[in-house]
Amino acid sequence: MGSILHANARSKQQYQLSFTMLEFRTQGFNGYAVKYSPFVDSRIAVASGANFGLVGNGRLYILGLTAKGIVAEKWFDTQDSLYDLAWAESHENQCVVATGDGSIKLFDITLDQFPVQSWQEHKREVYAVHWNLVAKDTFCSSSWDGTIKIWSPHRADSLVTLPTHSCTYSASFSPHSPSILSSVSSDSHLRLFDLRAPASAANHLTASIPLHTAPNNNNNNNGQHHHHHGAMPPSEALTHDWNKYRPQLIAAAGVDRLVRVFDIRNPSQGPVAVLPGHGYAVRKVAWSPHLGDVVLSASYDMTCRVWTDGSALGVDGEQQQQQQGLPEGSNGRAGADSLAVGGGRELGRMGRHTEFVMGVDWCLFGAEGWCASVGWDERLLVWDVRQVMGR
């Protein structure tokens, strides 16, 4: 880990030798989201906006990883900024995007220029789109207008509208159920919806979890005692993600810089893990598709960081720490932050972006550590998380 974390103290040439990275420049467009294709291991899509997404056009890039680097296979320009994207789970050549004018557009990358479908129901910017990973025939969107909508690519109108009454930056279907979805909003709450529940009861809402709830002291499995923990002030939540292996766990983060992990089976207990370290707001979190305890984050502090939530540091915890070159009982950082809960810690970081990092995604195929990140520095970076972990 040290060879990467202290790379700034070395020459640029030494750094390049120690860290393999591919780069693509999204010239004139600032990146907002990146997603690997679930069908083609060498294909990546990037959603972006001109002028930092504040005013002007958007562009969807379809990029290919080749032996000669990253190449643009195609791109689609839109009239407004693109804030998120999702590959269709039912069609390998289709991709849906969230736009600043409130519309949602579906593109077929084998066609030119125009979307094959467009929907205009949201009244404000659409900030998230996410495909149903189980049923594969629907996707959801969330907006600053305080609603989540569920769509079919074959229907002209939305299927369901779920009110959140709060600017909703992130919405997602559970990867473990076709009918459960979640969101985080500017009101500092994580909401859970079950489409099987009666709509008349609470618009399918089954739980509303305050993200700023004080952790239960019993959640600390690292032998430390945290008597000083109190509830944090509410702050805008910008991102969340479902754990791919443990259906009960969701990671969430936002303006207060903390990555939190919640067990939705017991929503009143507060977070089971709190991971402090980022210097500014956390814009994106993504659980590893390969390791059940590892989560990746992207932040306005211009870094991507990889964490363990602490769940793998049970009986073999000390042995794992020794293998990673850490002293026994260490949490992986000198002067452990007193906000840490649950025994999790930072495993490493990547600091090559020079502006806000807005999006990260893991590659589903091949070696377990490859990921991609995009930021306002007009760059897509493809890199191996294992290298920043010092493995």
Side-chain angles (χ1 to χ4, degrees):
M1 188 194 308
S3 64
I4 299 301
L5 295 186
H6 303 294
N8 288 338
R10 298 182 172 193
S11 71
K12 183 177 180 182
Q13 182 181 13
Q14 285 177 304
Y15 193 7
Q16 289 173 338
L17 289 173
S18 66
F19 194 9
T20 302
M21 178 179 286
L22 299 172
E23 179 175 336
F24 180 85
R25 185 79 186 270
T26 58
Q27 186 76 40
F29 289 86
N30 308 99
Y32 266 86
V34 57
K35 293 287 170 59
Y36 278 91
S37 165
F39 295 99
V40 182
D41 62 358
S42 60
R43 181 171 289 157
I44 295 176
V46 172
S48 64
N51 304 305
F52 304 99
L54 302 176
V55 62
N57 297 339
R59 178 172 287 180
L60 170 65
Y61 288 91
I62 308 299
L63 305 174
L65 302 174
T66 75
K68 296 181 179 180
I70 304 174
V71 299
E73 297 177 348
K74 185 165 289 190
W75 61 82
F76 299 92
D77 287 338
T78 56
Q79 287 192 323
D80 214 312
S81 300
L82 301 184
Y83 293 139
D84 198 17
L85 70 101
W87 287 98
E89 292 288 331
S90 54
H91 194 304
E92 69 177 71
N93 292 316
Q94 291 188 348
C95 188
V96 66
V97 295
T99 75
D101 62 9
S103 68
I104 298 162
K105 300 182 189 301
L106 181 71
F107 287 95
D108 188 314
I109 66 174
T110 64
L111 305 176
D112 292 326
Q113 293 187 315
F114 302 111
V116 295
Q117 179 70 284
S118 184
W119 298 270
Q120 182 85 52
E121 289 188 22
H122 284 296
K123 302 296 190 291
R124 294 286 308 278
E125 294 88 340
V126 182
Y127 235 67
V129 284
H130 188 268
W131 212 275
N132 189 322
L133 300 177
V134 180
K136 301 184 186 301
D137 59 352
T138 56
F139 65 92
C140 66
S141 62
S142 70
S143 169
W144 288 6
D145 67 7
T147 67
I148 300 165
K149 290 179 180 285
I150 299 172
W151 312 83
S152 164
H154 309 297
R155 296 277 293 273
D157 302 312
S158 62
L159 306 175
V160 180
T161 298
L162 304 170
T164 64
H165 309 293
S166 179
C167 176
T168 304
Y169 289 101
S170 176
S172 174
F173 277 99
S174 165
H176 310 284
S177 167
S179 57
I180 295 175
L181 66 159
S182 56
S183 69
V184 296
S185 302
S186 59
D187 66 355
S188 193
H189 279 71
L190 165 66
R191 288 176 173 83
L192 300 173
F193 301 88
D194 190 334
L195 300 179
R196 298 166 297 187
S200 58
N203 290 301
H204 303 288
L205 182 70
T206 57
S208 182
I209 303 171
L211 296 175
H212 48 282
T213 301
N216 184 328
N217 282 341
N218 293 331
N219 293 338
N220 290 288
N221 59 17
N222 59 357
Q224 300 176 19
H225 299 283
H226 295 266
H227 301 294
H228 57 283
H229 275 304
M232 299 286 287
S235 66
E236 290 194 306
L238 303 178
T239 177
H240 78 299
D241 193 36
W242 290 80
N243 189 286
K244 307 306 184 286
Y245 293 93
R246 293 173 287 169
Q248 73 276 15
L249 293 187
I250 294 177
V255 170
D256 70 3
R257 305 173 295 177
L258 302 174
V259 178
R260 294 177 173 87
V261 179
F262 291 86
D263 186 330
I264 61 174
R265 296 172 302 184
N266 188 4
S268 64
Q269 71 176 337
V272 295
V274 178
L275 305 169
H278 276 298
Y280 291 101
V282 180
R283 185 59 177 74
K284 186 72 175 177
V285 291
W287 286 102
S288 168
H290 306 287
L291 300 169
D293 69 306
V294 172
V295 64
L296 185 61
S297 60
S299 169
Y300 292 164
D301 68 9
M302 300 187 286
T303 70
C304 296
R305 306 195 189 201
V306 58
W307 315 80
T308 173
D309 67 3
S311 60
L313 299 175
V315 175
D316 300 322
E318 299 294 352
Q319 180 182 354
Q320 288 186 29
Q321 290 183 341
Q322 290 175 25
Q323 289 173 350
Q324 291 165 356
L326 299 169
E328 291 188 23
S330 166
N331 75 336
R333 297 185 339 187
D337 197 309
S338 62
L339 291 172
V341 172
R345 58 184 174 82
E346 181 183 318
L347 298 174
R349 70 185 73 170
M350 190 281 288
R352 298 289 292 274
H353 281 286
T354 57
E355 257 289 359
F356 293 172
V357 191
M358 303 296 284
V360 288
D361 193 36
W362 296 87
C363 181
L364 299 172
F365 304 97
E368 66 187 30
W370 283 94
C371 71
S373 57
V374 291
W376 276 10
D377 55 2
E378 302 183 2
R379 293 157 75 215
L380 162 77
L381 301 180
V382 175
W383 46 287
D384 188 346
V385 167
R386 294 168 299 178
Q387 289 189 288
V388 307
M389 292 168 67
R391 294 182 175 177

